[in-house]
Amino acid sequence: MNYEKYSIGQLAKKTACKVETVHYYEKIGLMPEPPRTDGGHRVYALPHVKRLNFIRRSRALGFRIEQIKELLKFIDEPNHYCGEVKAMAMQQASVVQEKIDDLQRLQSALNEMIIQCSSGNKQVDDCPIIDALYTEKVVGQ
Amino acid sequence: MNYEKYSIGQLAKKTACKVETVHYYEKIGLMPEPPRTDGGHRVYALPHVKRLNFIRRSRALGFRIEQIKELLKFIDEPNHYCGEVKAMAMQQASVVQEKIDDLQRLQSALNEMIIQCSSGNKQVDDCPIIDALYTEKVVGQ
DNA sequence: ATAGAACCTATAGTTACTATAGGTTCAAGG
DNA sequence: CCTTGAACCTATAGTAACTATAGGTTCTAT
């Protein structure tokens, strides 16, 4: 296997990731320690690019680091089934949906307060937004 | 003004907040240093309750600590206008809306992957979710 | 007086990065 | 070959908003 070689900076650029983040992922075990030059510089290749892209895409989908470790274990080790991956994805979809619902409730509360503030030239003492935050039970709490 | 007196634990309970968080808010200047007993225990009263409720509600709405400092400054200092509060609330609503949009894109991407995984008993090697994370450009990245 | 709960301050940990500091390596140009 | 500046290295600290822990003191009820 003769792959093209990449420095960490090149790997980071290919994956829209920071060098420090690659260091971090290696430290926490998401990325393997790569071979080095005689001078100690890391040397990466295509499989590293693919693995880091996998990690970044999973992060983008909101999977936590620990979950990504699980997903990578499914890949790295034999005898795992697509069903296990699907279950994780479905669980994640459920988490995302809950966040969306939460945020939509917050949005409603904010919009309600904004509507009440028809004029912006009242003193803060008479501000319905401030009143709401000080006294009323705000949806989303 | 003779208010009822509360310990920090009582304050925390009234505001659905942790004692440590109250300490934290005092440290960062959101909450004032209250009077103490001779033994050094903090003594709170109703205005503290109201202020902490304000802070918690604002947090619940997604305002950052720095923003809440601004809001509290509007209250603590004279010569501010409701319009300034409204602007902050509208900016916050905009931020929340953007988060909602992001999350909905993530949700679509997750659901798309889940749909592709019709059967859960394939080996991981053939898993369309893993494939998608490894090779395709996932929406939301 | 005793015991246990609640309080205190100080510090570290959580999550997922990100920044900084001080030093080394590498590559390009003269 | 030498120089220079970019990129690399490791180690540590910082970010945001809390939260946990440790060791000691105060308070209250019995």
Side-chain angles (χ1 to χ4, degrees), chain B residues 9 23 36 42:
Chain B
H23 284 172
R36 306 274 184 128
R42 292 169 173 81

Side-chain angles (χ1 to χ4, degrees), chain B residues 101-117:
Chain B
D101 295 341
D102 282 349
L103 285 173
Q104 277 169 340
R105 279 195 292 271
L106 295 197
Q107 192 70 314
S108 296
L110 278 168
N111 287 335
E112 186 63 37
M113 294 200 303
I114 289 163
I115 286 166
Q116 286 175 18
C117 193

Side-chain angles (χ1 to χ4, degrees), chain A residues 82-98:
Chain A
C82 197
E84 292 168 275
V85 178
K86 185 177 178 180
M88 283 184 69
M90 286 174 74
Q91 216 267 322
Q92 181 62 16
S94 175
V95 168
V96 171
Q97 188 57 50
E98 198 171 333

Side-chain angles (χ1 to χ4, degrees), chain B residues 34-140:
Chain B
R36 306 274 184 128
T37 63
D38 289 342
H41 286 200
R42 292 169 173 81
V43 181
Y44 293 100
L46 185 61
H48 296 110
V49 177
K50 282 174 171 285
R51 189 176 177 99
L52 187 52
N53 268 325
F54 180 95
I55 292 163
R56 299 305 288 166
R57 290 186 190 116
S58 303
R59 286 293 303 129
L61 287 175
F63 286 103
R64 292 169 150 256
I65 299 284
E66 279 305 312
Q67 288 173 304
I68 298 170
K69 283 181 180 173
E70 287 288 322
L71 288 172
L72 288 169
K73 202 186 292 181
F74 292 157
I75 297 166
D76 293 340
E77 299 171 8
N79 300 322
H80 285 291
Y81 293 94
C82 198
E84 293 170 273
V85 178
K86 183 176 179 180
M88 282 184 71
M90 286 173 76
Q91 217 268 322
Q92 181 61 18
S94 174
V95 168
V96 171
Q97 188 56 51
E98 197 171 333
K99 278 185 198 162
I100 290 171
D101 295 341
D102 282 349
L103 285 173
Q104 277 169 340
R105 279 195 292 271
L106 295 197
Q107 192 70 314
S108 296
L110 278 168
N111 287 335
E112 186 63 37
M113 294 200 303
I114 289 163
I115 286 166
Q116 286 175 18
C117 193
S118 55
S119 163
N121 56 4
K122 280 187 289 192
Q123 289 277 343
V124 163
D125 295 350
D126 284 329
C127 178
I129 296 177
I130 298 287
D131 279 352
L133 292 172
Y134 247 110
T135 56
E136 293 173 23
K137 185 166 180 66
V138 180
V139 179

Side-chain angles (χ1 to χ4, degrees), chain A residues 10-57:
Chain A
Q10 288 166 328
L11 175 70
K13 184 169 289 186
K14 282 182 169 312
T15 54
C17 183
K18 307 205 82 171
V19 166
E20 293 97 336
T21 308
V22 181
H23 283 171
Y24 172 65
Y25 287 159
E26 180 184 310
K27 182 178 177 182
I28 61 174
L30 282 192
M31 285 291 284
E33 292 201 29
R36 305 275 186 128
T37 62
D38 289 341
H41 286 199
R42 293 169 173 80
V43 180
Y44 293 101
L46 186 63
H48 295 109
V49 176
K50 282 175 171 285
R51 189 176 177 98
L52 187 52
N53 268 325
F54 180 95
I55 293 163
R56 299 305 289 167
R57 290 187 187 114

